[in-house]
Each structure stands twice: as structure tokens, then as C-alpha cells.
Amino acid sequence: MRIAVVGSGYVGLVAGACFADLGHEVILVDNDQQKLAALRSGQVPIHEKFLPELLGRHRGNRLTFSDDLKEAAQLSAAIFVAVGTPPTERGEADLSYVESVAREISGGIDDYKVVVEKSTVPVYTSEWVRRIILRNGIDSDCFDVASNPEFLREGTAVTDFLFPDRIVVGCDSERSAQLMREIYAPLTDGSYYQRTDAIPGPDRAAIPPPLIVTSTKSAELIKHASNAFLAMKISFINAVASVCESVGADVNQVVHGIGTDSRIGGRFLNPGIGYGGSCFPKDVMAFRAVARESGYDFRLLDEVMRINEDQRQRFLRKIYNALWTLRGKKLGVLGLAFKGGTDDIRESPALFLVQSLLQEGSKITAYDPAAMDRARNVLGTSISFAGSSYEAARGADALLILTEWEEFATLDLNRLRQELKFPIVIDGRNLYDPDVMSAQGFTYYSIGRTASHPDGIPTPVAKNGKKA
Ligand SMILES: NC(=O)c1ccc[n+]([C@@H]2O[C@H](COP(=O)([O-])OP(=O)(O)OC[C@H]3O[C@@H](n4cnc5c(N)ncnc54)[C@H](O)[C@@H]3O)[C@@H](O)[C@H]2O)c1
């Protein structure tokens, strides 16, 4: 099938490349000429495992790039809209990009097409998209609007797309539902997984995902509710971690104990410095706004956001507790992106912490395996960038671990101790065992666990994050 994907960002580019790998002919549309030129010339503008391979396979044949949305719409049976939906000042989703795309698409609708929302949008957006297209003079028989929310995670986006737990498709007509079934058939009938050239997936790869057909409104709500629930899980465990710190319990043991309950599950129960990225913060806010608008006061979501904000402040206080004063202190920082495995620094808690520490007068040398170019655009020369974790640690008063890259969890601890001026590690991602760290000669602080010291004397319990 010929498909247009509008927006070649983290979602659109991955979706387009994966649709091409499923056998479809894909036109990727973007209005960013620089991005298009980079894509055409063989560059891969984002860091995602397997994406270079997929682009290499399909670029120029099943995957082409264009800035002509009208023509792409004309040529395609389905048009996936994957443009950004950033937050407005009031916390609502800014749908102006979606609206302008809907208007432009109208010019290309000359026979039946399905316009598919791939962007995360509030409930009723499909209604608005429909209205815009009708207002532009298109007959209602000529198109349907469907919702196909995307659940991929940056860092594992390609495998998430090709090996999803489920595919949600919101359709208000059987005709559009049928077209969506055809698009995803290579996944739902399992044929993709039989191919010898299929991208390798996780262990459960052999099980074809179910395709869940709902109304468009339900599909829109499924996406917002999923993200809000996951953010709630993260804030919940961070709140539990704070209690653990107050009473001297170990949050990792608590996570193991509750996460093995199959009703709860262990995923997204990783205590840390709070969620970030381009999705959770804006989607929780937008869902809060949608609920308010619809007459329901979803105060639980206020608390999810408050705990998340607080978690960064608690980590800052932890650094104070470890170092007493920050002015003039030299700090090594591992991780700048909002999480490991990605180069995305949007709403990154790591970046927030770095900027706060700079304001306190600290000097920072940071290392991130993928996000340094993007971070340099924001931080400029206010910090130094290192070529490795050890270089970031060199001569530092303490090392901060802010994202959970695998390579940060497997450092040579002997070498690290020798590089640091003082063997102090403040770990915002709980990558190490406190006992191992103290045995290796480190003073080690983490989240929801008692600090450990080389002499084995535990730190006095900190109450409410303040110095004991
Ligand atoms: N990033 C994620 O992990 C993720 C996961 C699931 C859902 N989402 C949702 O998907 C949507 C896109 O997110 P993203 O992270 O890919 O955004 P992004 O900012 O990386 O990409 C958006 C792209 O759309 C392009 N664009 C904007 N207006 C356009 C127009 N009028 N015509 C053509 N192109 C246009 C931009 O140039 C950009 O390349 C958002 O709604 C987001 O909430 C994101």
C-alpha cells in the first residue's frame, strides 16, 4: 500500500522506515528542509537502534522523502500525521501543526483516503480534523479520520514498533478499519516474524500482536491514559523511595517485592530523578487539561506532576548533603538525555540538574554516549564535554549518574576511583549496589537507599531530604 507519513521526527521517521520494512511504499513528508536534505543524503538524524539499517534498506526505493504534502496525500491511500503536539502555556496540547497539516492534506484528497492521527492528541481531535477537511470542501464519502496512537519508546523505538504489545486503531467506519488492518497485517498475521531479514525482536517476538479496534475517541483516550498511568507508576515509586530513605529501607528490595506481583508488574517501577522527555510531561498535563475541560477534576494527575518536580529538588538536596557547598565544586556528570539509549534532551531531568548546578556555581564536565551534540546546542560552553565516562570523572569532587545507559552501569570501579579527586558517586538511577561501592572505596548515594561509605558507617538518616 502507498502510505504518506507527515513529520519525520522520532515517531514519523521510525514509523515510515518500519512501514517500508513491512512492504509498503512510504513517502515521508517534512517541512524542515535541512532534515529532508540530511535524510536524502543518507544521514540518520536521530539515535535509534536498527534505524540506520532500515533507512539503508529502503531509502530511495520503498522510502522516499518529500516536502510536498498535497502530492504525497494524492498518491497515498493512508496519510499518517506524526507532527509535534507541544504543550501550550496553559498545559493543553498545541494542535496548530495538526491543523495546518489537515488543511494541506485536504488539497490532495481526490479519492477515498484515511487520515490517521499518529501524534498524541486529546480526545475530539479526530472530530476537529474531520471538520477542517469538510470545511475545505471535501466530500464526507472521500475520507475517514482514524486514530492510531503510537506507543514506541525512544531508544527501542524500532523494535517497539515492529514487536508491539498491541496495535490500537480507532475507527468510526468499517472501511477505514479494514484499511488499517491491511496496513498492519504483516505484524498481526505473523508473516513479518517469519522473514529471515526481519529485524530481531525480544524473546516474545513470535507472538503476533492483537489489533484492537475502538472508536476514535477511545483510541485517543487510550494513549493519554496509558502515558498518565506510566507516569503515575514512576511518581508512585519515587514517593515510595522517599519513604524508604526516611526509614532506612531499600527501595530496590521493595520494588522487587511489589513488582513480582503479577497484578502490578515490575516495569516502570524504577526509582530515579523523575520522568522527562517529550511525552510524559506534556501528555500528563494535556490529559489533566482534557479532563478539566470535560468536567472532571483529575487531581491525581496534579500529584503525579508534583512528585516528579519534587524528585529533582530532592536529588539536588542529596548533592548538597554529599558535598556541603557547591560553589566552585568540580562535578563529573554521566548522562544528559532524558533517559538512556536516546539522544533526546527534551524535558531532560539531567539537563535541568546540570543547569541548576551551574547556577549554584559548580563546574561541570559531562559525558553522554549519544546526546552531546544536542546538549551542546543548549548548554554551549557553560560546561565541558568529555569523550568518556572516565574523562568526565577526572579530577572531579564527585560523579553524578543521571541516565541509565548500560555503559554507566558497567564502569571499571578501580579506574573510576583513581580518576576522581574524591571517591564520591551520587547515582540518580540506582545502577550500583551500595555494598559493592563501599567495598570498592566509594561514598555512594542513590535513590531510596541508605548512603554507603568506605568505612561501612551508614550516613545518618535524612528526613524529608534535609540534612540530618
Ligand atoms: N517521541 C516519542 O517517543 C513519542 C512516542 C509516542 C508518541 N509521540 C507523539 O508523536 C508526535 C510526534 O512526536 P516526535 O517526538 O516524533 O516529534 P518531533 O518533533 O521529533 O517530530 C515532528 C516532525 O514534524 C515535522 N513537522 C511539523 N509541522 C509539519 C508540517 N506542517 N508538515 C510537515 N512536517 C511537519 C517537524 O519538522 C518534525 O520533523 C507527538 O504528538 C508526540 O507526542 C512521541
Side-chain angles (χ1 to χ4, degrees):
M1 192 179 303
R2 195 173 277 155
I3 292 174
V5 178
V6 191
S8 55
Y10 284 86
V11 168
L13 186 56
V14 169
C18 289
F19 281 141
D21 211 42
L22 299 185
H24 301 300
E25 278 184 43
V26 179
I27 309 171
L28 253 174
V29 184
D30 209 289
N31 58 3
D32 179 337
Q33 297 299 338
Q34 251 181 316
K35 200 177 262 190
L36 285 177
L39 285 166
R40 285 193 187 111
S41 71
Q43 291 174 43
V44 184
I46 55 172
H47 178 90
E48 269 312 327
K49 205 171 170 196
F50 298 121
L51 188 59
E53 199 172 329
L54 286 185
L55 292 177
R57 264 186 214 181
H58 304 297
R59 184 188 292 113
N61 42 69
R62 280 216 293 266
L63 185 60
T64 53
F65 305 101
S66 168
D67 61 355
D68 191 339
L69 178 50
K70 185 178 161 195
E71 185 192 58
Q74 247 162 3
L75 293 171
S76 304
I79 303 129
F80 284 77
V81 182
V83 296
T85 48
T88 64
E89 295 265 294
R90 283 156 41 98
E92 294 156 355
D94 176 354
L95 297 171
S96 54
Y97 300 105
V98 176
E99 182 182 7
S100 102
V101 168
R103 244 185 282 117
E104 271 189 73
I105 286 174
S106 307
I109 300 183
D110 45 13
D111 57 0
Y112 180 74
K113 303 193 186 292
V114 180
V115 179
V116 190
E117 299 166 352
K118 198 64 164 152
S119 301
T120 301
V121 291
V123 66
Y124 282 118
T125 302
S126 60
E127 271 301 313
W128 274 105
V129 170
R130 198 178 138 71
R131 247 182 258 178
I132 300 279
I133 298 175
L134 288 173
R135 267 185 208 161
N136 279 273
I138 307 302
D139 197 282
S140 62
D141 290 342
C142 274
F143 75 100
D144 275 310
V145 181
S147 165
N148 174 218
E150 184 48 61
F151 301 102
L152 62 75
R153 295 159 300 168
E154 289 176 22
T156 51
V158 169
T159 37
D160 286 346
F161 191 96
L162 292 169
F163 301 88
D165 290 337
R166 81 301 201 191
I167 296 160
V168 173
V169 160
C171 291
D172 295 328
S173 78
E174 182 46 34
R175 193 174 181 190
S176 58
Q178 191 48 36
L179 187 126
M180 295 301 290
R181 283 191 199 99
E182 276 172 43
I183 290 173
Y184 284 106
L187 298 182
T188 54
D189 67 13
S191 57
Y192 179 76
Y193 309 122
Q194 310 297 323
R195 278 173 31 188
T196 50
D197 65 343
I199 293 293
D203 295 342
R204 54 183 174 74
I207 307 166
L211 185 132
I212 301 170
V213 180
T214 68
S215 68
T216 47
K217 280 185 210 150
S218 298
E220 290 165 337
L221 273 177
I222 285 168
K223 177 61 190 177
H224 264 165
S226 297
N227 273 5
F229 191 86
L230 292 171
M232 181 183 73
K233 256 186 127 174
I234 295 170
S235 279
F236 180 83
I237 205 59
N238 281 334
V240 171
S242 300
V243 178
C244 286
E245 284 178 14
S246 301
V247 301
D250 180 332
V251 73
N252 280 23
Q253 292 176 358
V254 176
V255 165
H256 184 60
I258 60 180
T260 41
D261 184 328
S262 60
R263 293 170 304 176
I264 298 172
R267 290 172 76 193
F268 277 80
L269 284 182
N270 303 321
I273 54 176
Y275 60 78
S278 67
C279 292
F280 284 178
K282 85 168 167 60
D283 291 347
V284 175
M285 264 198 299
F287 194 32
R288 174 75 177 98
V290 166
R292 191 187 295 116
E293 195 78 356
S294 70
Y296 181 72
D297 190 13
F298 210 150
R299 273 177 288 179
L300 173 64
L301 299 182
D302 289 332
E303 197 55 20
V304 169
M305 292 186 271
R306 192 198 60 75
I307 293 169
N308 197 55
E309 185 58 39
D310 195 39
Q311 199 62 9
R312 299 173 179 195
Q313 300 299 337
R314 287 182 66 89
F315 193 73
L316 274 177
R317 288 202 292 271
K318 208 179 278 281
I319 301 170
Y320 267 114
N321 285 350
L323 301 177
W324 191 26
T325 64
L326 294 177
R327 184 157 303 282
K329 290 265 161 71
K330 188 172 181 309
L331 302 174
V333 164
L334 300 188
L336 292 165
F338 82 93
K339 64 172 186 175
T342 179
D343 60 348
D344 196 347
I345 56 165
R346 291 179 284 184
E347 296 289 321
S348 164
L351 221 57
F352 168 86
L353 289 167
V354 164
Q355 283 165 327
S356 304
L357 292 166
L358 285 174
Q359 272 172 12
E360 297 294 329
S362 300
K363 295 191 176 77
I364 291 179
T365 304
Y367 169 68
D368 187 294
M372 291 206 288
D373 286 344
R374 286 185 197 274
R376 207 175 267 120
N377 289 338
V378 177
L379 297 168
T381 53
S382 62
I383 70 167
S384 305
F385 292 92
S388 71
S389 300
Y390 303 105
E391 197 187 321
R394 197 159 297 155
D397 291 286
L399 182 74
L400 314 181
I401 303 178
L402 303 184
T403 67
E404 69 282 35
W405 278 90
E406 180 63 23
E407 69 175 86
F408 298 160
T410 52
L411 294 170
D412 175 342
L413 295 177
N414 255 329
R415 183 169 168 202
L416 183 65
R417 198 182 49 248
Q418 282 159 17
E419 296 283 9
L420 283 162
K421 185 167 165 199
F422 298 108
I424 300 172
V425 173
I426 308 167
D427 181 358
R429 299 292 182 170
N430 286 6
L431 298 188
Y432 289 93
D433 180 334
D435 292 339
V436 171
M437 291 303 274
S438 58
Q440 292 281 338
F442 289 94
T443 294
Y444 178 70
Y445 299 83
S446 57
I447 308 288
R449 302 182 296 180
T450 308
S452 64
H453 297 269
D455 55 10
I457 302 168
T459 303
V461 169
K463 289 225 167 25
N464 301 327
K466 296 198 182 101
K467 280 180 226 171

mmCIF file with all atom_site columns, all heavy atoms in Angstrom, residues 314-328:
data_model
loop_
_atom_site.group_PDB
_atom_site.id
_atom_site.type_symbol
_atom_site.label_atom_id
_atom_site.label_alt_id
_atom_site.label_comp_id
_atom_site.label_asym_id
_atom_site.label_entity_id
_atom_site.label_seq_id
_atom_site.pdbx_PDB_ins_code
_atom_site.Cartn_x
_atom_site.Cartn_y
_atom_site.Cartn_z
_atom_site.occupancy
_atom_site.B_iso_or_equiv
_atom_site.pdbx_formal_charge
_atom_site.auth_seq_id
_atom_site.auth_comp_id
_atom_site.auth_asym_id
_atom_site.auth_atom_id
_atom_site.pdbx_PDB_model_num
ATOM 1   N N   . ARG A 1 314 ? 14.768 16.984 45.338 1.00 0.00 ? 314 ARG A N   1
ATOM 2   C CA  . ARG A 1 314 ? 15.336 16.067 46.345 1.00 0.00 ? 314 ARG A CA  1
ATOM 3   C C   . ARG A 1 314 ? 16.739 15.630 45.934 1.00 0.00 ? 314 ARG A C   1
ATOM 4   O O   . ARG A 1 314 ? 17.624 15.490 46.761 1.00 0.00 ? 314 ARG A O   1
ATOM 5   C CB  . ARG A 1 314 ? 14.438 14.827 46.514 1.00 0.00 ? 314 ARG A CB  1
ATOM 6   C CG  . ARG A 1 314 ? 13.151 15.088 47.250 1.00 0.00 ? 314 ARG A CG  1
ATOM 7   C CD  . ARG A 1 314 ? 12.356 13.805 47.404 1.00 0.00 ? 314 ARG A CD  1
ATOM 8   N NE  . ARG A 1 314 ? 13.038 12.842 48.272 1.00 0.00 ? 314 ARG A NE  1
ATOM 9   C CZ  . ARG A 1 314 ? 12.885 12.798 49.580 1.00 0.00 ? 314 ARG A CZ  1
ATOM 10  N NH1 . ARG A 1 314 ? 12.080 13.638 50.196 1.00 0.00 ? 314 ARG A NH1 1
ATOM 11  N NH2 . ARG A 1 314 ? 13.549 11.895 50.282 1.00 0.00 ? 314 ARG A NH2 1
ATOM 12  N N   . PHE A 1 315 ? 16.919 15.412 44.631 1.00 0.00 ? 315 PHE A N   1
ATOM 13  C CA  . PHE A 1 315 ? 18.242 14.976 44.173 1.00 0.00 ? 315 PHE A CA  1
ATOM 14  C C   . PHE A 1 315 ? 19.256 16.105 44.360 1.00 0.00 ? 315 PHE A C   1
ATOM 15  O O   . PHE A 1 315 ? 20.392 15.870 44.762 1.00 0.00 ? 315 PHE A O   1
ATOM 16  C CB  . PHE A 1 315 ? 18.184 14.522 42.712 1.00 0.00 ? 315 PHE A CB  1
ATOM 17  C CG  . PHE A 1 315 ? 19.429 13.775 42.286 1.00 0.00 ? 315 PHE A CG  1
ATOM 18  C CD1 . PHE A 1 315 ? 19.674 12.481 42.730 1.00 0.00 ? 315 PHE A CD1 1
ATOM 19  C CD2 . PHE A 1 315 ? 20.370 14.368 41.451 1.00 0.00 ? 315 PHE A CD2 1
ATOM 20  C CE1 . PHE A 1 315 ? 20.831 11.794 42.360 1.00 0.00 ? 315 PHE A CE1 1
ATOM 21  C CE2 . PHE A 1 315 ? 21.525 13.690 41.069 1.00 0.00 ? 315 PHE A CE2 1
ATOM 22  C CZ  . PHE A 1 315 ? 21.747 12.399 41.518 1.00 0.00 ? 315 PHE A CZ  1
ATOM 23  N N   . LEU A 1 316 ? 18.817 17.333 44.090 1.00 0.00 ? 316 LEU A N   1
ATOM 24  C CA  . LEU A 1 316 ? 19.717 18.478 44.315 1.00 0.00 ? 316 LEU A CA  1
ATOM 25  C C   . LEU A 1 316 ? 20.120 18.536 45.789 1.00 0.00 ? 316 LEU A C   1
ATOM 26  O O   . LEU A 1 316 ? 21.288 18.764 46.121 1.00 0.00 ? 316 LEU A O   1
ATOM 27  C CB  . LEU A 1 316 ? 19.016 19.783 43.925 1.00 0.00 ? 316 LEU A CB  1
ATOM 28  C CG  . LEU A 1 316 ? 19.088 20.190 42.462 1.00 0.00 ? 316 LEU A CG  1
ATOM 29  C CD1 . LEU A 1 316 ? 18.294 21.464 42.239 1.00 0.00 ? 316 LEU A CD1 1
ATOM 30  C CD2 . LEU A 1 316 ? 20.547 20.403 42.006 1.00 0.00 ? 316 LEU A CD2 1
ATOM 31  N N   . ARG A 1 317 ? 19.133 18.317 46.671 1.00 0.00 ? 317 ARG A N   1
ATOM 32  C CA  . ARG A 1 317 ? 19.452 18.358 48.109 1.00 0.00 ? 317 ARG A CA  1
ATOM 33  C C   . ARG A 1 317 ? 20.408 17.224 48.481 1.00 0.00 ? 317 ARG A C   1
ATOM 34  O O   . ARG A 1 317 ? 21.257 17.365 49.344 1.00 0.00 ? 317 ARG A O   1
ATOM 35  C CB  . ARG A 1 317 ? 18.165 18.271 48.934 1.00 0.00 ? 317 ARG A CB  1
ATOM 36  C CG  . ARG A 1 317 ? 17.334 19.560 48.875 1.00 0.00 ? 317 ARG A CG  1
ATOM 37  C CD  . ARG A 1 317 ? 16.389 19.676 50.056 1.00 0.00 ? 317 ARG A CD  1
ATOM 38  N NE  . ARG A 1 317 ? 15.332 18.676 50.000 1.00 0.00 ? 317 ARG A NE  1
ATOM 39  C CZ  . ARG A 1 317 ? 14.172 18.862 49.381 1.00 0.00 ? 317 ARG A CZ  1
ATOM 40  N NH1 . ARG A 1 317 ? 13.918 19.996 48.763 1.00 0.00 ? 317 ARG A NH1 1
ATOM 41  N NH2 . ARG A 1 317 ? 13.266 17.909 49.404 1.00 0.00 ? 317 ARG A NH2 1
ATOM 42  N N   . LYS A 1 318 ? 20.269 16.109 47.787 1.00 0.00 ? 318 LYS A N   1
ATOM 43  C CA  . LYS A 1 318 ? 21.170 14.971 48.038 1.00 0.00 ? 318 LYS A CA  1
ATOM 44  C C   . LYS A 1 318 ? 22.606 15.372 47.688 1.00 0.00 ? 318 LYS A C   1
ATOM 45  O O   . LYS A 1 318 ? 23.553 15.014 48.390 1.00 0.00 ? 318 LYS A O   1
ATOM 46  C CB  . LYS A 1 318 ? 20.720 13.789 47.157 1.00 0.00 ? 318 LYS A CB  1
ATOM 47  C CG  . LYS A 1 318 ? 21.049 12.425 47.722 1.00 0.00 ? 318 LYS A CG  1
ATOM 48  C CD  . LYS A 1 318 ? 20.555 11.340 46.792 1.00 0.00 ? 318 LYS A CD  1
ATOM 49  C CE  . LYS A 1 318 ? 19.100 11.000 46.936 1.00 0.00 ? 318 LYS A CE  1
ATOM 50  N NZ  . LYS A 1 318 ? 18.782 10.135 48.064 1.00 0.00 ? 318 LYS A NZ  1
ATOM 51  N N   . ILE A 1 319 ? 22.740 16.120 46.602 1.00 0.00 ? 319 ILE A N   1
ATOM 52  C CA  . ILE A 1 319 ? 24.091 16.554 46.205 1.00 0.00 ? 319 ILE A CA  1
ATOM 53  C C   . ILE A 1 319 ? 24.647 17.514 47.271 1.00 0.00 ? 319 ILE A C   1
ATOM 54  O O   . ILE A 1 319 ? 25.803 17.399 47.678 1.00 0.00 ? 319 ILE A O   1
ATOM 55  C CB  . ILE A 1 319 ? 24.064 17.233 44.811 1.00 0.00 ? 319 ILE A CB  1
ATOM 56  C CG1 . ILE A 1 319 ? 23.514 16.262 43.760 1.00 0.00 ? 319 ILE A CG1 1
ATOM 57  C CG2 . ILE A 1 319 ? 25.464 17.697 44.405 1.00 0.00 ? 319 ILE A CG2 1
ATOM 58  C CD1 . ILE A 1 319 ? 23.210 16.894 42.400 1.00 0.00 ? 319 ILE A CD1 1
ATOM 59  N N   . TYR A 1 320 ? 23.778 18.393 47.757 1.00 0.00 ? 320 TYR A N   1
ATOM 60  C CA  . TYR A 1 320 ? 24.199 19.286 48.849 1.00 0.00 ? 320 TYR A CA  1
ATOM 61  C C   . TYR A 1 320 ? 24.637 18.474 50.073 1.00 0.00 ? 320 TYR A C   1
ATOM 62  O O   . TYR A 1 320 ? 25.672 18.739 50.687 1.00 0.00 ? 320 TYR A O   1
ATOM 63  C CB  . TYR A 1 320 ? 23.038 20.197 49.268 1.00 0.00 ? 320 TYR A CB  1
ATOM 64  C CG  . TYR A 1 320 ? 23.013 21.527 48.562 1.00 0.00 ? 320 TYR A CG  1
ATOM 65  C CD1 . TYR A 1 320 ? 21.983 21.853 47.699 1.00 0.00 ? 320 TYR A CD1 1
ATOM 66  C CD2 . TYR A 1 320 ? 24.025 22.467 48.776 1.00 0.00 ? 320 TYR A CD2 1
ATOM 67  C CE1 . TYR A 1 320 ? 21.945 23.070 47.042 1.00 0.00 ? 320 TYR A CE1 1
ATOM 68  C CE2 . TYR A 1 320 ? 23.999 23.687 48.119 1.00 0.00 ? 320 TYR A CE2 1
ATOM 69  C CZ  . TYR A 1 320 ? 22.965 23.982 47.254 1.00 0.00 ? 320 TYR A CZ  1
ATOM 70  O OH  . TYR A 1 320 ? 22.947 25.182 46.617 1.00 0.00 ? 320 TYR A OH  1
ATOM 71  N N   . ASN A 1 321 ? 23.816 17.475 50.415 1.00 0.00 ? 321 ASN A N   1
ATOM 72  C CA  . ASN A 1 321 ? 24.136 16.657 51.592 1.00 0.00 ? 321 ASN A CA  1
ATOM 73  C C   . ASN A 1 321 ? 25.489 15.984 51.451 1.00 0.00 ? 321 ASN A C   1
ATOM 74  O O   . ASN A 1 321 ? 26.213 15.795 52.418 1.00 0.00 ? 321 ASN A O   1
ATOM 75  C CB  . ASN A 1 321 ? 23.073 15.576 51.799 1.00 0.00 ? 321 ASN A CB  1
ATOM 76  C CG  . ASN A 1 321 ? 21.788 16.151 52.366 1.00 0.00 ? 321 ASN A CG  1
ATOM 77  O OD1 . ASN A 1 321 ? 21.754 17.315 52.767 1.00 0.00 ? 321 ASN A OD1 1
ATOM 78  N ND2 . ASN A 1 321 ? 20.741 15.358 52.374 1.00 0.00 ? 321 ASN A ND2 1
ATOM 79  N N   . ALA A 1 322 ? 25.822 15.630 50.216 1.00 0.00 ? 322 ALA A N   1
ATOM 80  C CA  . ALA A 1 322 ? 27.080 14.914 49.985 1.00 0.00 ? 322 ALA A CA  1
ATOM 81  C C   . ALA A 1 322 ? 28.265 15.863 49.963 1.00 0.00 ? 322 ALA A C   1
ATOM 82  O O   . ALA A 1 322 ? 29.364 15.508 50.409 1.00 0.00 ? 322 ALA A O   1
ATOM 83  C CB  . ALA A 1 322 ? 27.001 14.160 48.661 1.00 0.00 ? 322 ALA A CB  1
ATOM 84  N N   . LEU A 1 323 ? 28.049 17.087 49.450 1.00 0.00 ? 323 LEU A N   1
ATOM 85  C CA  . LEU A 1 323 ? 29.211 17.958 49.179 1.00 0.00 ? 323 LEU A CA  1
ATOM 86  C C   . LEU A 1 323 ? 29.227 19.226 50.018 1.00 0.00 ? 323 LEU A C   1
ATOM 87  O O   . LEU A 1 323 ? 30.177 19.999 49.953 1.00 0.00 ? 323 LEU A O   1
ATOM 88  C CB  . LEU A 1 323 ? 29.223 18.338 47.683 1.00 0.00 ? 323 LEU A CB  1
ATOM 89  C CG  . LEU A 1 323 ? 29.305 17.157 46.718 1.00 0.00 ? 323 LEU A CG  1
ATOM 90  C CD1 . LEU A 1 323 ? 29.224 17.658 45.282 1.00 0.00 ? 323 LEU A CD1 1
ATOM 91  C CD2 . LEU A 1 323 ? 30.579 16.367 46.921 1.00 0.00 ? 323 LEU A CD2 1
ATOM 92  N N   . TRP A 1 324 ? 28.181 19.465 50.765 1.00 0.00 ? 324 TRP A N   1
ATOM 93  C CA  . TRP A 1 324 ? 28.028 20.616 51.653 1.00 0.00 ? 324 TRP A CA  1
ATOM 94  C C   . TRP A 1 324 ? 27.836 21.916 50.877 1.00 0.00 ? 324 TRP A C   1
ATOM 95  O O   . TRP A 1 324 ? 26.792 22.512 50.941 1.00 0.00 ? 324 TRP A O   1
ATOM 96  C CB  . TRP A 1 324 ? 29.221 20.715 52.624 1.00 0.00 ? 324 TRP A CB  1
ATOM 97  C CG  . TRP A 1 324 ? 28.993 21.702 53.719 1.00 0.00 ? 324 TRP A CG  1
ATOM 98  C CD1 . TRP A 1 324 ? 27.786 22.110 54.220 1.00 0.00 ? 324 TRP A CD1 1
ATOM 99  C CD2 . TRP A 1 324 ? 29.987 22.407 54.445 1.00 0.00 ? 324 TRP A CD2 1
ATOM 100 N NE1 . TRP A 1 324 ? 27.969 23.012 55.224 1.00 0.00 ? 324 TRP A NE1 1
ATOM 101 C CE2 . TRP A 1 324 ? 29.314 23.220 55.391 1.00 0.00 ? 324 TRP A CE2 1
ATOM 102 C CE3 . TRP A 1 324 ? 31.390 22.435 54.410 1.00 0.00 ? 324 TRP A CE3 1
ATOM 103 C CZ2 . TRP A 1 324 ? 29.994 24.054 56.288 1.00 0.00 ? 324 TRP A CZ2 1
ATOM 104 C CZ3 . TRP A 1 324 ? 32.062 23.263 55.305 1.00 0.00 ? 324 TRP A CZ3 1
ATOM 105 C CH2 . TRP A 1 324 ? 31.369 24.058 56.230 1.00 0.00 ? 324 TRP A CH2 1
ATOM 106 N N   . THR A 1 325 ? 28.837 22.361 50.110 1.00 0.00 ? 325 THR A N   1
ATOM 107 C CA  . THR A 1 325 ? 28.642 23.561 49.289 1.00 0.00 ? 325 THR A CA  1
ATOM 108 C C   . THR A 1 325 ? 28.933 23.203 47.833 1.00 0.00 ? 325 THR A C   1
ATOM 109 O O   . THR A 1 325 ? 29.655 22.243 47.564 1.00 0.00 ? 325 THR A O   1
ATOM 110 C CB  . THR A 1 325 ? 29.581 24.710 49.701 1.00 0.00 ? 325 THR A CB  1
ATOM 111 O OG1 . THR A 1 325 ? 30.918 24.278 49.462 1.00 0.00 ? 325 THR A OG1 1
ATOM 112 C CG2 . THR A 1 325 ? 29.404 25.092 51.154 1.00 0.00 ? 325 THR A CG2 1
ATOM 113 N N   . LEU A 1 326 ? 28.380 23.990 46.939 1.00 0.00 ? 326 LEU A N   1
ATOM 114 C CA  . LEU A 1 326 ? 28.547 23.641 45.520 1.00 0.00 ? 326 LEU A CA  1
ATOM 115 C C   . LEU A 1 326 ? 29.392 24.641 44.738 1.00 0.00 ? 326 LEU A C   1
ATOM 116 O O   . LEU A 1 326 ? 29.919 24.314 43.671 1.00 0.00 ? 326 LEU A O   1
ATOM 117 C CB  . LEU A 1 326 ? 27.167 23.514 44.848 1.00 0.00 ? 326 LEU A CB  1
ATOM 118 C CG  . LEU A 1 326 ? 26.324 22.354 45.358 1.00 0.00 ? 326 LEU A CG  1
ATOM 119 C CD1 . LEU A 1 326 ? 24.953 22.359 44.698 1.00 0.00 ? 326 LEU A CD1 1
ATOM 120 C CD2 . LEU A 1 326 ? 27.026 21.029 45.062 1.00 0.00 ? 326 LEU A CD2 1
ATOM 121 N N   . ARG A 1 327 ? 29.510 25.870 45.264 1.00 0.00 ? 327 ARG A N   1
ATOM 122 C CA  . ARG A 1 327 ? 30.262 26.892 44.516 1.00 0.00 ? 327 ARG A CA  1
ATOM 123 C C   . ARG A 1 327 ? 31.702 26.431 44.286 1.00 0.00 ? 327 ARG A C   1
ATOM 124 O O   . ARG A 1 327 ? 32.397 26.029 45.211 1.00 0.00 ? 327 ARG A O   1
ATOM 125 C CB  . ARG A 1 327 ? 30.234 28.228 45.275 1.00 0.00 ? 327 ARG A CB  1
ATOM 126 C CG  . ARG A 1 327 ? 30.895 29.363 44.541 1.00 0.00 ? 327 ARG A CG  1
ATOM 127 C CD  . ARG A 1 327 ? 30.390 30.711 45.013 1.00 0.00 ? 327 ARG A CD  1
ATOM 128 N NE  . ARG A 1 327 ? 28.941 30.841 44.886 1.00 0.00 ? 327 ARG A NE  1
ATOM 129 C CZ  . ARG A 1 327 ? 28.286 31.082 43.756 1.00 0.00 ? 327 ARG A CZ  1
ATOM 130 N NH1 . ARG A 1 327 ? 28.948 31.237 42.636 1.00 0.00 ? 327 ARG A NH1 1
ATOM 131 N NH2 . ARG A 1 327 ? 26.974 31.167 43.723 1.00 0.00 ? 327 ARG A NH2 1
ATOM 132 N N   . GLY A 1 328 ? 32.094 26.432 43.023 1.00 0.00 ? 328 GLY A N   1
ATOM 133 C CA  . GLY A 1 328 ? 33.480 26.089 42.689 1.00 0.00 ? 328 GLY A CA  1
ATOM 134 C C   . GLY A 1 328 ? 33.761 24.588 42.671 1.00 0.00 ? 328 GLY A C   1
ATOM 135 O O   . GLY A 1 328 ? 34.845 24.155 42.290 1.00 0.00 ? 328 GLY A O   1
#
